[in-house]
Amino acid sequence: MAHILVVDDDVLIRVMVTKMLENDGHRVTTALDGAEGLRLFREDPPDLVLADIIMPTLEGLQLIKTMKQIRDDIPIVAVSGGSRHISMVDNLNLAEIAGAEATLPKPFTKKELNAALIRAVS
Amino acid sequence: MPGLHVTTEQRYSTLLQQVIFAPNLNAREEFLAEAFELGRGALSQDAIPPDELVAIHHNAILCFSQKNPDMKLCDVVDLLTLPLIEMSMAYGMSFREQLEKQYRALLDKRLQESHRLEAVGTLAAGIAHEFNNLLCSIIGFSELAFEGLSDEEPAKESIQQVLVASLRARDLVSTMLQLARKNSGLPSEEIDLISEINSVIKLVDVREKKLEINFSSGVPNAFITAKPGQIQQIILNLCINAADAMEHCGTIDINIESTTSDECLTGVGESAICITISDQGTGIPPEVQEQIFNPFFTTKEPGKGTGLGLSVVHRMVEDLGGRILVESRTTGGNNGTDFRIILPFVDKDKRGTSCQKKCSLYKAHNHGG
Ligand SMILES: Nc1ncnc2c1ncn2[C@@H]1O[C@H](COP(=O)(O)OP(=O)(O)OP(=O)(O)O)[C@@H](O)[C@H]1O
Ligand SMILES: [Mg+2]
């Protein structure tokens, strides 16, 4: 059981991922943009972060970089469904460069979500 | 007389090859001038029938535009054809009209095709983010609902169907995204065709119990330059099509050979590799053949095919600087289809200066987009 911070601008995704993670016994906090995510990250440091990169621009990348500067021991999973200007493969590559331990393309199944969490902490 | 035809034609087409692969503009001009000198003579002596000449040009234009992706097709046509039209004026307006009509049709078709592909790619990339988010919720909530229901609950099976459908939608979006050219950030590398094809065969073997695949290679070191996964995707798509055409029962032959017969690629000091995938299926009638590479063209029932397989294959082969050809028989006892893919060859044994030059040429081409 871990404390997981979920940052995503899509409310449906926040609700869904929260349910999935809570069903597995995790504690979940959610943020709808980079600023809120960063505030929660500082106030109540999680064990793991699940961050969407496109919200709706590439601000998730900056978020990952900043979080890594604050605490580089907290693993981050970067999530992306691609965007108008940059492909999914490319922005997930960028997220790894920014410091994310694991990446997860959208849409994902519960199994894929769990696998990404395990990749990030191992 | 027929013997003479062949040699003049061959000389003529070789000259056009030299135009295509000319190292610089001056050389290109020289070869062009020489080609038209020969063409003029040949026409006046009836050594090359006009429609043969048109066919040779038709090929040359396709190759030239493939070799020079940055050049507009209309400029290519101008470069290779205008002098020919001029010189043929003396031989009557009808020839000129025939030429122009053919090139206009070719231009239109290629333009239409590239516009359609572009439109699909842009559309897919444009909605990818939103669409993937929506799909993500559909998949996730269905899974949650599924888990929350006990096995007796009749709704459980319905939810399962929602899941299956949404996973199919996910595949469709990812296929459409592959149509957008710059979809892969991975760099190109040297790829071993034989091991790539073997891995696809394993995959198909698991899915297709009544299908046999014969694979043979006449080239021990079949290396080409490609992005990881590209070759597998190409071969897999062609094998699935072949399996469908044979109703999942029969033999697919895959064969690799080195080739110098494809003049368009091999011309001057280039070597190429040819992968042939043959089936004994229904075959493709000529009027269908014209459309098979169009995105969303399918003859399969709804749900059985999206019509994207071959357009993805076509796009990838073009990206690799290669060509794809189809030959099909729909009548008689030996009906079936051969897809031939011709790709630039990295010759491991003969890797010297000439090969280095060739590799950098393909790199330039690949990274140009
Ligand atoms: N080996 C083959 N034999 C006979 N017909 C073929 C063969 N390969 C392709 N075709 C024809 O070309 C059409 C287009 O093929 P393509 O792979 O693009 O789409 P599809 O197979 O219908 O759907 P998808 O590949 O997206 O599942 C097919 O519907 C079929 O009519
Ligand atoms: Mg297909």
Side-chain angles (χ1 to χ4, degrees):
Chain A
M1 136 121 184
H3 172 203
I4 300 174
L5 170 61
V6 176
V7 192
D8 198 310
D9 60 339
D10 187 318
V11 57
L12 282 174
I13 304 272
R14 288 201 302 277
V15 174
M16 173 200 97
V17 173
T18 303
K19 279 199 177 166
M20 281 185 173
L21 294 174
E22 281 179 352
N23 279 356
D24 284 349
H26 300 297
R27 177 162 76 88
V28 182
T29 40
T30 60
L32 55 77
D33 60 17
E36 192 186 8
L38 206 55
R39 185 173 58 75
L40 291 171
F41 184 83
R42 285 202 168 97
E43 282 171 9
D44 183 10
D47 301 313
L48 188 143
V49 178
L50 194 75
D52 190 38
I53 312 174
I54 314 286
M55 302 185 290
T57 56
L58 276 172
E59 66 166 298
L61 287 181
Q62 190 51 49
L63 177 69
I64 294 173
K65 274 191 201 156
T66 314
M67 284 177 169
K68 280 289 161 193
Q69 276 160 13
I70 300 170
R71 285 277 301 269
D72 76 341
D73 59 322
I74 299 179
I76 301 177
V77 178
V79 185
S80 176
S83 79
R84 219 173 286 277
H85 307 294
I86 182 168
S87 77
M88 183 145 77
V89 180
D90 283 336
N91 64 45
L92 287 175
N93 282 342
L94 285 175
E96 275 179 347
I97 294 169
E101 273 77 10
T103 58
L104 179 61
K106 268 183 191 172
F108 49 80
T109 62
K110 182 158 192 262
K111 226 165 120 187
E112 287 158 355
L113 171 66
N114 284 337
L117 298 184
I118 290 165
R119 272 203 307 282
V121 296
S122 60
Chain B
M1 195 66 174
L4 206 128
H5 284 185
V6 174
T7 47
T8 314
E9 275 162 40
Q10 274 181 346
R11 266 172 60 213
Y12 190 71
S13 120
T14 310
L15 274 171
L16 284 183
Q17 287 303 315
Q18 285 169 318
V19 172
I20 293 168
F21 293 100
N24 54 48
L25 280 178
N26 271 346
R28 185 196 281 174
E29 290 298 319
E30 268 172 35
F31 287 133
L32 261 178
E34 208 179 317
F36 292 123
E37 199 52 48
L38 179 69
R40 201 190 327 260
L43 264 182
S44 65
Q45 290 156 29
D46 262 348
I48 304 181
D51 45 340
E52 296 277 339
L53 204 60
V54 172
I56 294 173
H57 266 255
H58 183 107
N59 272 337
I61 287 175
L62 284 180
C63 296
F64 196 92
S65 54
Q66 246 169 35
K67 272 285 145 196
N68 300 277
D70 299 334
M71 217 166 145
K72 278 204 222 109
L73 191 60
C74 54
D75 293 338
V76 176
V77 172
D78 271 4
L79 178 79
L80 290 181
T81 313
L82 278 189
L84 181 73
I85 292 179
E86 275 163 23
M87 85 190 185
S88 68
M89 291 258 273
Y91 299 92
M93 285 305 280
S94 68
F95 180 37
R96 178 193 172 133
E97 271 161 22
Q98 184 195 351
L99 258 181
E100 282 184 335
K101 224 166 74 194
Q102 285 214 13
Y103 289 132
R104 178 57 46 197
L106 173 68
L107 250 173
D108 284 353
K109 212 170 144 200
R110 297 260 305 191
L111 260 178
Q112 260 176 27
E113 236 166 65
S114 70
H115 281 170
R116 199 162 28 215
L117 274 179
E118 220 170 85
V120 175
T122 315
L123 182 74
I127 61 164
H129 178 235
E130 288 78 1
F131 203 78
N132 281 335
N133 263 342
L134 290 171
L135 269 182
C136 197
S137 315
I138 296 174
I139 292 172
F141 281 115
S142 319
E143 286 187 318
L144 284 166
F146 186 82
E147 279 171 11
L149 290 172
S150 71
D151 286 348
E152 302 86 67
E153 207 66 64
K156 191 152 184 165
E157 205 191 310
S158 310
I159 297 283
Q160 175 96 49
Q161 297 303 334
V162 175
L163 250 173
V164 171
S166 43
L167 289 175
R168 260 189 32 216
R170 164 165 97 162
D171 288 344
L172 179 59
V173 177
S174 94
T175 315
M176 278 172 58
L177 280 174
Q178 280 160 15
L179 282 175
R181 202 181 262 276
K182 293 184 217 154
N183 73 317
S184 170
L186 296 169
S188 295
E189 50 189 68
E190 251 173 42
I191 301 266
D192 178 3
L193 272 183
I194 295 178
S195 80
E196 295 287 289
I197 292 177
N198 272 325
S199 72
V200 174
I201 292 175
K202 272 192 206 124
L203 205 76
V204 177
D205 269 348
V206 179
R207 291 172 26 163
E208 304 280 350
K209 297 281 179 253
K210 284 188 258 167
L211 206 72
E212 199 177 315
I213 302 182
N214 283 332
F215 175 32
S216 63
S217 174
V219 188
N221 288 317
F223 284 88
I224 57 136
T225 309
K227 289 176 179 163
Q230 268 183 327
I231 293 300
Q232 275 149 320
Q233 184 132 19
I234 291 171
I235 305 294
L236 184 63
N237 267 310
L238 294 176
C239 284
I240 293 173
N241 283 347
D244 285 347
M246 297 191 293
E247 289 176 347
H248 306 270
C249 174
T251 309
I252 301 176
D253 286 300
I254 305 180
N255 182 41
I256 298 183
E257 60 201 342
S258 71
T259 174
T260 45
S261 62
D262 190 76
E263 289 156 358
C264 286
L265 270 165
T266 48
V268 185
E270 304 270 342
S271 63
I273 205 156
C274 175
I275 311 166
T276 310
I277 293 167
S278 316
D279 64 56
Q280 294 128 33
T282 50
I284 314 172
E287 66 278 10
V288 174
Q289 239 179 73
E290 282 176 14
Q291 308 179 64
I292 55 175
F293 294 108
N294 292 346
F296 301 115
F297 174 81
T298 181
T299 57
K300 295 170 191 173
E301 285 167 37
K304 291 265 166 67
T306 54
L308 285 174
L310 284 180
S311 53
V312 169
V313 168
H314 186 261
R315 178 47 74 79
M316 285 185 171
V317 172
E318 263 193 355
D319 269 353
L320 297 175
R323 295 210 300 151
I324 181 162
L325 309 168
V326 54
E327 222 181 283
S328 197
R329 304 157 298 276
T330 48
T331 47
N334 69 336
N335 47 300
T337 305
D338 306 336
F339 279 93
R340 287 208 304 148
I341 296 169
I342 296 146
L343 296 172
F345 181 19
V346 182
D347 195 336
K348 283 230 155 187
D349 301 327
K350 293 192 206 136
R351 209 183 328 202
T353 41
S354 73
C355 181
Q356 257 160 13
K357 206 168 96 200
K358 181 178 69 191
C359 297
S360 63
L361 195 82
Y362 293 125
K363 291 245 168 66
H365 181 197
N366 276 346
H367 295 178

